[in-house]
Structure formats: C-alpha cells, structure tokens
C-alpha cells in the first residue's frame, strides 16, 4: 500500500519492540511522521530496481497466465499457474493490494497444484464497484475458483488469504464450508482492542488531505515519484526492498495528468473502498462469533506483528478455540515481504500433512 490512500485513522508510533500497530485499513501519515525506512522504503533507490537474489528472479520468471473472470457483473483479475486437474489453491491478497502480491510465492506450488491468485473487486486490475460486501467477496472467490479449474482435481480448493484477504477467507469458510477443503489465514486480525479503537476513532476528525469522491487520489508525474511514496500498511519497514519494489510497480497505473501535460501514475485500487464497504456484515458473518466452525483452519502469523498482542489485550477474534497457529520468526505483518521463503516452507509443510 502507499501513503497517498484514503485514511480513516492516523497511525500510532512504532514501539521500541519493533511491532507495528495492526490495522489493515489505509491511513495517512505526514512526511517525517514515521521513520524513513517505514515512510518511504523505496525512495533511496530513485526509481531503480533494488538488487534481488536468484531465487526471486527464478520465481517471477515463472510467468502466470493472466485473465479475467466475471462475477456479479464485475471483471476480476486472475493469475494462474500449474495444470488443471491438480488440487486447487486460491490465494487472496490484503487491503489495497493485488494478485501479484503472490506472484513470487505461488510458483513454488505450481508443480503439485493448480494455483490461482485473484485481485479482489476494487483492487489491482479488477473493476471497481459502487458498493462492497463480504458476501460479494465470498461469491467472487467461488466464481474465480470454478472458472480457473480449482475444483477439477476432484477435491475442493484450499483458500489462503493474507490480512484483509484472510478475513474474506474466514468469512467464506464460515458461511460456505461446502466450498473449500480448508482455510489458511496469514496474519489476519479483526481490529485492535476496544479501548484502542475508541482512541483511534477520536482521531479521525484530525485527518486531512484524504482522497474522496470530490478530492481524488494524487497523480505522480513519474514512476520514480510514485515509488518514493509507496509504503506498507500497517506501517513497517520493507524487510526485502526488492519485493516491495516488485509489488509497488504493479500497484500503479497510467492516467492523464490533471494539467493535460501527458500521463502520470496513480494507485490502482479504489480509494473509496472503505467508504463503500457494507459494515453490516463483518469477517465473522452475521451475529456473534461462530462456535461451530466446520472448515479446517490454520493461522500463520509474524512474530513481530501485533495480531497476537491485540488478541491477548481483548481485541475481538472469532477464530475457533484450539485452532492451529504457526509463528514465522522475524516477520512483521507482511510476511511474504519479510520472510517469503519461511512462508513458503510453512505452507509446504502444512499442505503435506494437513488437513488429512
């Protein structure tokens, strides 16, 4: 995500422990409000691509098939790897992200699985909507899974979702357990403790310069200028800048400059997604937290993420008691950026032995 996104809350400062405040909604921060490695992790590269290791080059060289699937009148961007007829995996990204957040992870599974990564409606190259709802995201995931052959192997697919996408995977698993074999959430939370949320809500009126319908997102004159403003949300350093750069470049699109001087760059996601999101539904489904979750579930989280701390402090969580949880050392919220190979190893080991 980038700092020129719609904001609802200002960020709390990073603590000395290196743990970031968890909230995957876009927020705004003024220049200098965060440390440089958090505020603008790509600025020092001045538009150049950071050096990358060979494993990463080999992974992204396994180019996906790029196509679109229609769901509820919306075209959804999908990337696919592997042969139809093998067990299906569906990867779902976080808020304001896109399908390419998994482009350097998914190829590690293509030999054994039919793999799909989708861009949620309003994000990536998928169409925007007048309104967004958890139930619609669940319907979209099912449409994508069927259209890309994830059921063709004779077994229902396994859904894997990060952050906000993990929330959508959880919602779909609870409401439609018949659609999936299992669900894996990656560093997925459900908001901070009530007292912290109250404090943040009180700060909302102080936030200014937020893109809205009548105050559009900023357009940058060059790719370099746009990359210099990219940052992760919730705020954290970019553990591997070459991954952040890969993601950031694919987060941008060409648009006309307001003064007619040519084309510039802006972020691809709908800046008003949160304002359009139907909050009558939440990641738990309707009513209180479910007590009978039928879908096998696992949660993978970063050791430096605030997810577990918030839950211990009283943050709401509908995860079932006794659910398997796997910690990835030396990782913040964006595990695929901080510890991509550790995430691959954890997923591989998990899929080899679970859910049976």
């Amino acid at each position: 995500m980038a700092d020129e996104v719609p904001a609802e809350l200002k960020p709390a400062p990073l603590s000395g422990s290196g743990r970031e405040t968890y909230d995957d909604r876009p927020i705004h921060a003024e220049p200098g409000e965060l440390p440089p490695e958090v505020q603008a992790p790509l600025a020092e590269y001045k538009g150049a691509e950071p050096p990358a290791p060979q494993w990463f080059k080999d992974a992204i060289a396994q180019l996906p098939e790029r196509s679109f699937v229609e769901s509820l009148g919306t075209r959804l961007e999908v990337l696919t790897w592997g042969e139809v007829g093998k067990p299906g995996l569906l990867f779902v990204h976080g808020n304001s992200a896109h399908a390419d957040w998994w482009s350097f992870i998914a190829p590690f599974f293509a030999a054994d699985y039919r793999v799909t990564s989708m861009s949620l409606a309003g994000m990536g190259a998928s169409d925007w909507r007048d309104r967004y709802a958890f139930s619609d995201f669940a319907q979209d995931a099912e449409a994508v899974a069927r259209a890309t052959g994830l059921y063709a192997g004779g077994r229902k697919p396994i859904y894997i979702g990060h952050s906000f996408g993990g929330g959508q995977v959880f919602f779909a698993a609870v409401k439609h357990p018949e659609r999936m074999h299992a669900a894996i959430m990656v560093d997925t939370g459900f908001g901070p403790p009530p007292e912290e949320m109250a404090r943040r809500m009180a700060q909302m009126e102080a936030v200014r310069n937020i893109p809205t319908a009548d105050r559009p997102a900023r357009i940058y004159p060059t790719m370099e200028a746009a990359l210099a403003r990219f940052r992760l949300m919730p705020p954290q350093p970019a553990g591997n800048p070459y991954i952040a750069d890969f993601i950031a470049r694919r987060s941008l699109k060409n648009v006309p400059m307001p003064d007619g001087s040519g084309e510039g760059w802006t972020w691809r996601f709908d800046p008003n997604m949160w304002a359009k999101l139907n909050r009558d539904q939440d990641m738990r489904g309707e009513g209180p937290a479910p007590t009978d979750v039928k879908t096998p579930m696992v949660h993978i989280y970063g050791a430096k993420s605030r997810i577990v701390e918030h839950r211990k402090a009283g943050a709401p969580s509908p995860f079932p008691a006794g659910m398997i949880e796997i910690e990835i050392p030396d990782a913040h919220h964006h595990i695929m950026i901080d510890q991509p190979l550790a995430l691959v190893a954890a997923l591989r080991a998990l899929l080899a032995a679970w859910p049976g």
Side-chain angles (χ1 to χ4, degrees):
M1 301 180 195
D3 66 346
E4 294 301 319
V5 296
E8 292 188 283
L9 305 170
K10 291 178 75 72
L14 297 179
S15 68
S17 68
R19 294 177 180 270
E20 77 276 7
T21 298
Y22 177 76
D23 192 330
D24 66 355
R25 285 174 291 183
I27 63 174
H28 177 83
E30 296 296 336
E33 190 172 356
L34 298 169
E37 67 274 15
V38 176
Q39 183 85 43
L42 300 177
E44 65 178 283
Y45 298 97
K46 302 185 184 303
E49 295 184 11
Q54 192 61 45
W55 75 261
F56 181 79
K57 295 176 182 178
D58 292 342
I60 62 174
Q62 299 181 52
L63 299 177
E65 178 183 343
R66 294 179 179 267
S67 59
F68 289 87
V69 169
E70 185 167 325
S71 174
L72 303 175
T74 300
R75 288 201 331 153
L76 302 172
E77 178 185 31
V78 295
L79 316 182
T80 53
W81 297 258
E83 298 175 7
V84 174
K86 293 184 177 180
L89 299 179
L90 177 65
F91 285 90
V92 187
H93 61 78
N95 185 41
S96 300
H98 49 79
D100 273 302
W101 275 67
W102 296 107
S103 283
F104 48 93
I105 301 291
F108 285 97
F109 301 90
D112 300 311
Y113 296 90
R114 172 65 169 173
V115 185
T116 298
S117 177
M118 65 180 292
S119 288
L120 295 170
M123 306 181 210
S126 294
D127 290 344
W128 297 3
R129 286 175 172 159
D130 294 332
R131 61 180 293 278
Y132 301 94
F134 293 103
S135 57
D136 292 345
F137 287 134
Q139 181 65 26
D140 295 342
E142 168 73 354
V144 167
R146 292 201 175 275
T148 57
L150 300 191
Y151 284 89
R155 190 187 76 180
K156 293 178 290 186
I158 293 176
Y159 286 30
I160 303 169
H162 172 244
S163 193
F164 180 79
Q168 304 315 315
V169 167
F170 182 83
F171 179 93
V174 171
K175 299 295 289 183
H176 304 287
E178 74 282 359
R179 294 180 179 176
M180 67 184 76
H181 185 59
I184 301 174
M185 282 73 68
V186 180
D187 218 81
T188 298
F190 300 87
E195 61 275 11
E196 184 172 338
M197 178 58 77
R199 176 183 62 79
R200 294 186 187 184
M201 293 296 287
Q203 295 175 331
M204 288 174 62
E205 291 301 319
V207 180
R208 296 293 183 267
N209 300 320
I210 308 306
T212 64
D214 60 348
R215 190 170 57 242
R218 179 173 296 181
I219 299 174
Y220 302 94
T222 64
M223 172 72 80
E224 177 182 348
L227 292 175
R229 297 305 297 268
F230 177 84
R231 68 188 179 97
L232 297 169
M233 208 35 60
Q236 68 164 76
N240 288 298
Y242 58 91
I243 297 180
D245 179 85
F246 175 87
I247 288 169
R249 290 176 188 274
R250 288 153 182 80
S251 301
L252 293 160
K253 63 181 178 181
N254 277 124
V255 292
M257 292 293 293
D259 60 4
S261 60
E263 287 195 327
W265 299 88
T266 193
W267 308 109
R268 295 166 74 187
F269 57 83
D270 183 349
N272 296 302
M273 195 279 287
W274 276 101
K276 298 177 183 178
L277 185 63
N278 179 4
R279 304 302 293 176
D280 292 336
Q281 299 173 323
D282 64 21
M283 297 177 187
R284 295 169 293 182
E286 298 174 2
T291 56
D292 182 22
V293 177
K294 297 180 175 61
T295 306
M297 293 183 174
V298 167
H299 183 222
I300 299 174
Y301 66 92
K304 293 183 177 179
S305 175
R306 287 289 299 274
I307 296 295
V308 174
E309 281 191 0
H310 276 176
R311 283 166 55 190
K312 290 180 178 178
S317 175
F319 285 155
M323 182 180 67
I324 297 172
E325 297 199 77
I326 300 171
E327 181 180 282
I328 304 297
D330 198 28
H332 292 262
H333 175 62
H334 299 94
I335 299 174
M336 68 279 288
I337 295 178
D338 294 336
Q339 295 293 341
L341 295 181
L343 177 59
V344 168
L347 288 171
R348 276 180 163 176
L350 188 60
L351 293 171
W354 173 92

